[in-house]
Amino acid sequence: MNNEYGGIVATGIARSFGTVAAIRHIDFAAPPGEVTALIGPNGSGKTTLLLILASLLAPDTGTLTVGGVDPLRDAAAVRRTVGWMPDTLGVWESLTATEILTTMGSLYGMPSDRRRERAAELLAAVRLEEFADKPARVLSRGQQQRLSLARALIHDPAVLLLDEPASGLDPGSRVELRATLRSLADQGKTVVVSSHVLSELDEIADRAVFINRGESVKNQTLDEAGTQIRRYYIQADPMEPLAEALTSHGVTFEVRGDSRRAEYQVMMSSTDQAAWLLRTLILADVAITAFAPAGGALEETYMSLDTDRQ
Amino acid sequence: MSTSTTEQPGSTGASTDLTLSYWNGVKAVFGLEMRQRLRARAWYIMLVIWFFVIGLVFLLASVTTAATEGSGAILFDLVVGFVLFFGLLVAPGLSANAVNGDRAAGTLAILQITLLTPGQILWGKWLASWVASLAFLLVSSPFIFWALALGGVNPAEAFTSLLMLSVELGIVSAIGIGISALANRPLFSIVTTYMVVALLGIGTLITFGLSYALVDEENVEVTYSYLDYPPGTDFSAPIPASVELECVTRTQLQTVHHTDRTTWLLAANPFVIVADSVPYSRGGDFGQVSQPANPDVYVQPGIMEGISVGVRLLQAGPDYETTCEEAQGFGRDLPDESFPIWPLGLVLQSALAGGLLWLGRGKLATPARRLAQGTRIA
């Protein structure tokens, strides 16, 4: 995570609003060329941290560099390299989608032919060409979300900060968002995504920073997350032979109560152990109808952390 | 979604060469603001209402003054006064939610994340709200030209009046923008701006009135003269020139109000600034118009000229020393040493507007260290 390559390095960040400590102590790092997920419950300080990284808020304490530059020293240099997609949908409603993007380009000092070209290109990329000349107020929430992503990309930033980019998107757009973020990271850009849709992040994030109550509680790569203890759900028809087989092999299980159908939950320390159990159950003639990890790797970490979700 | 971005491999640092000159930033904000204003229906509705109200006032006034000598000048004065009055009502509404309205809509942070500086945002927004309020002046122009067409107003007078109207609208817009950057809620900032404008328009008058007692000087010996009309003179008919009037001169002790010491309090009043700056060239004495053809015709001054003359008289201070010559004339000659107070007014108002903008600029500075309670930056 060397500064020379850009990326984000933040250590010991704290920020309070009056008496409310939004961020107590966060260490955060996002290397270029990777998608870093910022995960935490509501009110844990995700948005505040992104505002600090975007050079809009000053931290009370701590040091940070974004793209190798300290925002407190040279905010303009940081802004040239940062694209920020806020969690609120602030749009200039009377402007058309094209005008919003070209206006944004002009605020970054892009020459007029370049920003028009770029606007058309981005509108095509987020599939909003048919709304190019329609006022932004007619866009649906998901479409505005996509326009907001295009707006963040207008000046081709090296660092991309996305606050809940997937909220309000339909499944098709989520898949596209995933592909877009992946390809941006593959170009060497630093991509930071905050979200609580963990299954989405599982597939695109290279690493994750978990924060809770304004503190960074865990920092892991997805490869690490894959090797940890995970929960598996098993269904069989009928369920009785499954219970017997599990008991006879000394596997402890519990009945999952929050599902529509009867399910058993077991803890597996590795994928090898899961494979062994499945093979054993089938050989014991248990009619397995479902055998799957309970959630994504990130969700597993999230649930295992002592987080509070009030 | 991935197509466009993959077309530019290795474009990671492409944006580092971007620069935004100060003027281009102001221009971009101005353009953005104007676009949004021009597409808002409310603005057009206000312009139409404005047109009809000014039109109504103008027509009523032109009917009542039709028989009066020099009605063109009176009408022109009336339109200027009215446009200023309405402009003071409209300009705060057009400016005082420009910054915190954006903040509430979540679009202010979009500006702040770009290369724009707080100064550029404020300049752009101020210019846009000024231009938006100048549109109201433009809509009034048919009536202004109509009054000018009736004659009696010299070009310098008309030009100065309109110029000062524009300046006043600009100052009120600047006050509105400054307050909207300082206050968190649009409603609060609009009301506050109206209060400040009321303070300038009415508060200055009240302050001046209350200060009256402070500048009293008791037991001043004054000498005054008056014409002694013979008992039983019939004032309803012209007094024949053959009657020789005696001028009586007396001395007495009385209380004198030194308004010359407090008139500056009125300087910051928008009406005083506009009226005082206009070079009225219609006569020396109050109410006397020197028309070369018939110098004795009495022509009433318009509203603004009345204010102007009134302020100059207050500024000159009390003059109880009436000479026999003055007693015969229409009124008192303004002393030559009376100097214009509108520059002082402009300085006071500009200082107020500039101070508010300067404080507001601090509120827009990013990375932000202090936020008002209960506000989110985005």
Side-chain angles (χ1 to χ4, degrees):
Chain A
M1 229 98 55
N2 198 318
N3 274 347
E4 291 162 30
Y5 302 104
I8 299 170
V9 182
T11 37
I13 299 293
R15 169 77 207 205
S16 52
F17 300 104
T19 55
V20 184
I23 295 181
R24 290 166 211 274
H25 185 98
I26 284 184
D27 296 319
F28 179 86
E34 291 190 13
V35 177
T36 306
L38 184 61
I39 299 169
N42 297 331
S44 57
K46 297 192 296 286
T47 295
T48 306
L49 178 62
L50 286 177
L51 287 172
I52 290 173
L53 298 180
S55 80
L56 288 176
L57 268 183
D60 293 336
T61 58
T63 57
L64 86 147
T65 56
V66 178
V69 185
D70 181 357
L72 292 178
R73 288 238 175 80
D74 189 356
V78 169
R79 281 164 201 177
R80 260 177 225 120
T81 49
V82 167
W84 175 63
M85 176 176 167
D87 62 336
T88 48
L89 283 178
V91 289
W92 300 302
E93 291 192 335
S94 54
L95 267 60
T96 68
T98 305
E99 285 172 336
I100 287 176
L101 295 182
T102 52
T103 299
M104 205 62 186
S106 71
L107 299 179
Y108 280 110
M110 290 165 68
S112 64
D113 51 339
R114 190 167 144 204
R115 58 183 189 245
R116 264 198 296 276
E117 199 180 303
R118 181 83 178 141
E121 194 179 285
L122 285 169
L123 281 178
V126 298
R127 291 189 300 111
L128 288 174
E129 293 138 302
E130 56 176 314
F131 295 98
D133 299 318
K134 299 225 169 67
R137 78 168 75 84
V138 307
L139 297 181
S140 73
R141 194 195 145 81
Q143 288 164 338
Q144 288 195 353
Q145 197 81 355
R146 269 145 53 195
L147 183 60
S148 180
L149 175 66
R151 192 173 58 186
L153 290 170
I154 188 75
H155 58 305
D156 193 20
V159 176
L160 200 55
L161 305 171
L162 309 170
D163 202 350
E164 303 280 357
S167 73
L169 292 187
D170 56 55
S173 302
R174 277 173 195 237
V175 172
E176 284 174 359
L177 174 69
R178 233 154 52 193
T180 306
L181 297 188
R182 227 13 299 164
S183 85
L184 288 167
D186 292 343
Q187 289 169 44
K189 295 178 192 298
T190 308
V191 182
V192 178
V193 185
S194 95
S195 180
H196 44 233
V197 187
L198 299 174
S199 54
E200 295 291 328
L201 294 175
D202 244 359
E203 289 166 57
I204 54 165
D206 298 293
R207 59 178 58 245
V209 175
F210 293 84
I211 64 173
N212 186 35
R213 291 169 164 260
E215 293 179 18
S216 46
V217 288
K218 196 168 179 99
N219 189 337
Q220 69 174 181
T221 65
L222 257 281
D223 295 338
E224 286 163 15
T227 56
Q228 66 196 348
I229 296 177
R230 296 178 75 171
R231 290 165 299 148
Y232 281 75
Y233 290 140
I234 312 172
Q235 290 177 358
D237 191 20
M239 294 294 275
E240 290 77 22
L242 175 60
E244 282 168 25
L246 287 174
T247 313
S248 68
H249 286 92
V251 178
T252 54
F253 63 93
E254 45 190 279
V255 181
R256 191 185 174 195
D258 59 348
S259 180
R260 196 163 40 81
R261 297 179 51 194
E263 272 181 351
Y264 292 154
Q265 176 186 309
V266 296
M267 301 298 281
M268 296 283 106
S269 60
S270 66
T271 45
D272 286 348
Q273 201 194 354
W276 162 82
L277 181 62
L278 179 58
R279 193 169 58 237
T280 309
L281 290 175
I282 290 170
L283 289 175
D285 275 340
V286 180
I288 301 291
T289 56
F291 188 102
L298 290 173
E299 186 177 351
E300 205 59 48
T301 311
Y302 184 84
M303 301 305 284
S304 71
L305 295 170
D306 189 22
T307 57
D308 61 323
R309 291 166 293 278
Q310 285 134 9
Chain B
M1 245 190 206
S2 57
T3 47
S4 80
T5 39
T6 44
E7 279 165 15
Q8 312 165 318
S11 60
T12 311
S15 52
T16 49
D17 60 328
L18 297 175
T19 49
L20 181 66
S21 73
Y22 200 87
W23 169 240
N24 280 340
V26 173
K27 212 169 69 179
V29 175
F30 176 78
L32 172 65
E33 287 285 308
M34 283 316 291
R35 250 187 198 150
Q36 295 185 82
R37 283 176 190 275
L38 288 172
R39 288 176 196 180
R41 275 247 307 274
W43 189 59
Y44 294 99
I45 295 173
M46 273 159 69
L47 282 174
V48 170
I49 294 174
W50 168 284
F51 182 82
F52 282 111
V53 170
I54 296 275
L56 192 70
V57 169
F58 184 84
L59 286 179
L60 286 176
S62 64
V63 168
T64 45
T65 59
T68 319
E69 193 67 35
S71 64
I74 294 176
L75 277 176
F76 178 78
D77 244 24
L78 186 81
V79 174
V80 168
F82 233 83
V83 170
L84 177 59
F85 177 65
F86 278 17
L88 294 178
L89 292 180
V90 165
L94 290 173
S95 60
N97 65 344
V99 178
N100 52 19
D102 268 16
R103 192 175 272 148
T107 48
L108 185 65
I110 304 296
L111 296 180
Q112 289 177 302
I113 192 68
T114 65
L115 298 182
L116 288 174
T117 62
Q120 288 169 316
I121 295 176
L122 288 175
W123 273 107
K125 282 182 177 289
W126 172 58
L127 286 175
S129 66
W130 189 8
V131 169
S133 63
L134 285 180
F136 288 84
L137 195 55
L138 198 69
V139 167
S140 332
S141 60
F143 306 109
I144 293 172
F145 286 119
W146 188 348
L148 284 176
L150 292 174
V153 183
N154 73 33
E157 188 183 324
F159 178 77
T160 315
S161 297
L162 294 177
L163 180 73
M164 292 308 284
L165 274 183
S166 314
V167 169
E168 279 302 308
L169 291 177
I171 288 176
V172 174
S173 297
I175 290 173
I177 296 283
I179 291 178
S180 84
L182 286 170
N184 296 323
R185 303 267 173 270
L187 182 64
F188 179 75
S189 59
I190 290 175
V191 172
T192 307
T193 308
Y194 275 121
M195 302 288 262
V196 171
V197 171
L199 193 72
L200 294 175
I202 302 167
T204 49
L205 290 181
I206 294 173
T207 314
F208 176 74
L210 291 178
S211 70
Y212 212 70
L214 299 176
V215 289
D216 278 356
E217 189 183 351
E218 285 172 23
N219 298 325
V220 178
E221 193 183 85
V222 297
T223 313
Y224 64 101
S225 309
Y226 60 93
L227 294 174
D228 192 22
Y229 290 92
T233 308
D234 180 13
F235 287 103
S236 62
I239 298 162
S242 59
V243 177
E244 194 68 35
L245 294 175
E246 193 190 348
C247 184
V248 182
T249 301
R250 295 200 173 174
T251 303
Q252 69 170 44
L253 292 178
Q254 71 171 80
T255 303
V256 171
H257 307 287
H258 284 283
T259 53
D260 49 328
R261 296 174 193 164
T262 50
T263 307
W264 63 270
L265 286 169
L266 293 172
N269 186 302
F271 291 92
V272 171
I273 290 180
V274 174
D276 196 48
S277 64
V278 175
Y280 297 103
S281 57
R282 279 173 278 172
D285 285 356
F286 186 10
Q288 187 182 27
V289 173
S290 51
Q291 289 177 314
N294 38 350
D296 290 336
V297 173
Y298 175 84
V299 173
Q300 265 192 312
I303 298 175
M304 300 308 277
E305 189 179 2
I307 293 174
S308 171
V309 174
V311 168
R312 293 288 169 103
L313 284 176
L314 288 172
Q315 196 185 359
D319 177 31
Y320 299 97
E321 314 267 332
T322 335
T323 62
C324 278
E325 203 177 295
E326 284 173 344
Q328 284 166 332
F330 281 97
R332 156 193 179 198
D333 281 329
L334 278 174
D336 292 335
E337 65 265 28
S338 85
F339 57 93
I341 59 169
W342 63 269
L344 171 66
L346 272 191
V347 167
L348 289 176
Q349 288 192 351
S350 308
L352 175 67
L356 287 168
L357 284 172
W358 186 77
L359 290 174
R361 196 182 154 279
K363 281 266 188 177
L364 289 181
T366 48
R369 294 197 178 273
R370 291 172 60 94
L371 287 185
Q373 208 136 39
T375 53
R376 283 182 63 164
I377 192 163

